[in-house]
Amino acid sequence: MQANFFTIHDYPQGTPPRELFELRHTTLPELSDDEVRIRNTWLSVDPYMRGRMSGVQTYVAPFELGAPLEGAAVGEVIESRHARFKIGDRVRHMAGWRDLAQLKGEVVEPLPDLGVPEQAYLGVLGMPGMTAWTGLNRIANLREGDNVLVSAAGGAVGSLAVQLAKSRGGTVVGIAGAPDKLEWLEQLGIRTVNYRGKDAQQLSADLKAACPDGFDVYFENVGGACLEAALNNLKVGARIAVCGLISRYNDETPDPGPSNLAMLLVQRARMQGFIIFDHWTEYPHFLEEVGPRVAKGEIDYEETVEEGLERTPDAFLKLFEGANRGKMLVRL
């Protein structure tokens, strides 16, 4: 059986060019014992994948040149030699960027049965949702009545973070740029600040106007001017959960740090980075808390969908243009 997959032929500097990505074909071997073959139906693209294209070992190994790229995916088991899986099972795994996946059953997980669309397990009930929940509850120790600031608030992680924070009763402010994202956040009852065309000084003033009392929690997705502006608006004892720094992922030279890190000292604040894979054992707790709310329609989530395997690189590159509202997905 022939499978199609994307690979890269070089480690790019700066923003990856579209021609970096090559669509290749291979013939899959017969299944071995304990293997399953999966027809992927939905693929996830995520900002962290850019780091794996740098050829540098970080918290995860770099992509291997010429080998299939990897990422979260859901699909249907079409052949199985594993006792846990039968034909027709819907599953999630990390062999994305391809139409067919052949894997050991031990790295495949059945989709929970919560009555939600299967692609939700790549977004609001997948890694992005788990990241939002973990950053707020396990890293920033969110408390009732906390004022919360979230950057990239219209994305897959940020859009759940603002809703989880709002349910705790404090003032919630989301930073975004695209008009449709700002409008969506406002419909959710979130105060918004537009970052586009503004330096840290102007952003600081806008955040002050949105929440004069300052922030107990900052959920950081962006870095750069957003981080500097947030530091100027912290309350004493504030907690910052650093999820990502997407503004610098394609930088070719080191980005200068915020000029006001002293605010961490002045406000006795704590700033902590986290990697969601270190917390994945808590996924059942996240699913127990957030899953029923999604199923009941209490959590609003958006998806930006590209159609067809051949559009996967385009979907990925759009992440760095801010072109996605909610989760960016590829439907096969």
Side-chain angles (χ1 to χ4, degrees):
M1 183 176 290
Q2 180 174 281
N4 305 293
F5 64 92
F6 272 101
T7 187
I8 57 174
H9 57 80
D10 195 8
Y11 295 122
Q13 298 293 316
T15 303
R18 177 60 177 81
E19 56 269 22
L20 175 75
F21 301 90
E22 296 181 2
L23 183 60
R24 295 186 181 179
H25 320 282
T26 189
T27 299
L28 297 175
E30 294 296 317
L31 284 187
S32 299
D33 289 343
D34 296 326
E35 283 190 332
V36 293
R37 184 171 292 163
I38 302 157
R39 177 175 288 112
N40 288 335
T41 52
W42 292 89
L43 308 179
S44 174
V45 290
D46 301 278
Y48 82 88
M49 295 174 177
R50 177 62 184 86
R52 298 194 68 185
M53 296 176 187
S54 299
V56 177
Q57 175 73 43
T58 57
Y59 61 87
V60 63
F63 288 132
E64 180 183 346
L65 298 181
L69 297 174
E70 298 172 333
V74 297
E76 178 184 3
V77 174
I78 59 173
E79 191 175 347
S80 175
R81 294 188 64 182
H82 191 281
R84 189 183 184 192
F85 298 102
K86 64 182 184 300
I87 293 174
D89 284 350
R90 315 302 292 192
V91 297
R92 179 174 59 188
H93 55 85
M94 288 300 292
W97 291 80
R98 68 196 83 181
D99 54 5
L100 293 176
Q102 187 162 316
L103 300 165
K104 288 286 188 182
E106 64 194 34
V107 298
V108 178
E109 54 182 326
L111 292 184
D113 184 14
L114 292 176
V116 300
E118 63 181 6
Q119 71 270 21
Y121 296 105
L122 296 177
V124 67
L125 293 180
M127 184 175 65
M130 175 65 174
T131 300
W133 182 86
T134 300
L136 289 175
N137 294 290
R138 297 296 183 258
I139 306 303
N141 303 121
L142 180 65
R143 298 188 284 260
E144 293 293 328
D146 275 348
N147 293 344
V148 178
L149 174 64
V150 179
S151 57
V157 175
S159 59
L160 180 59
V162 293
Q163 293 181 75
L164 295 178
K166 188 174 186 297
S167 68
R168 303 296 286 272
T171 297
V172 182
V173 177
I175 301 174
D180 63 321
K181 293 182 181 180
L182 295 165
E183 181 181 0
W184 174 40
L185 292 167
E186 289 163 4
Q187 290 172 352
L188 296 174
I190 308 301
R191 299 185 187 182
T192 61
V193 168
N194 189 338
Y195 73 87
R196 288 193 174 173
K198 298 174 183 176
D199 59 15
Q201 182 178 4
Q202 182 60 60
L203 274 175
S204 295
D206 289 353
L207 293 177
K208 179 70 173 177
C211 186
D213 292 336
F215 298 99
D216 301 282
V217 169
Y218 175 41
F219 195 105
E220 168 66 302
N221 284 306
V222 175
C226 289
L227 175 56
E228 187 160 336
L231 290 173
N232 284 333
N233 285 275
L234 299 179
K235 294 175 71 174
V236 172
R239 292 90 64 200
I240 302 173
V242 183
C243 164
L245 300 167
I246 194 171
S247 69
R248 59 178 298 271
Y249 287 173
N250 291 315
D251 287 352
E252 297 185 52
T253 57
D255 189 43
S259 63
N260 59 343
L261 281 177
M263 294 306 297
L264 293 174
L265 174 62
V266 172
Q267 299 301 83
R268 284 82 90 194
R270 173 170 58 84
M271 184 174 180
Q272 179 181 344
F274 71 102
I275 302 300
I276 194 56
F277 305 122
D278 297 337
H279 302 269
W280 202 254
T281 55
E282 295 207 55
Y283 181 72
H285 300 292
F286 156 74
L287 205 61
E288 181 180 9
E289 178 181 328
V290 180
R293 296 182 63 189
V294 173
K296 293 175 184 177
E298 297 173 0
I299 297 290
D300 191 17
Y301 66 97
E302 296 278 347
E303 298 167 346
T304 302
V305 178
E306 293 285 334
E307 300 284 351
L309 177 64
E310 67 280 0
R311 295 290 298 170
T312 309
D314 305 278
F316 172 71
L317 293 174
K318 285 183 177 182
L319 293 173
F320 302 98
E321 302 170 3
N324 61 301
R325 191 163 108 174
K327 182 73 184 87
M328 179 66 87
L329 296 165
V330 178
R331 177 165 46 200
L332 304 188

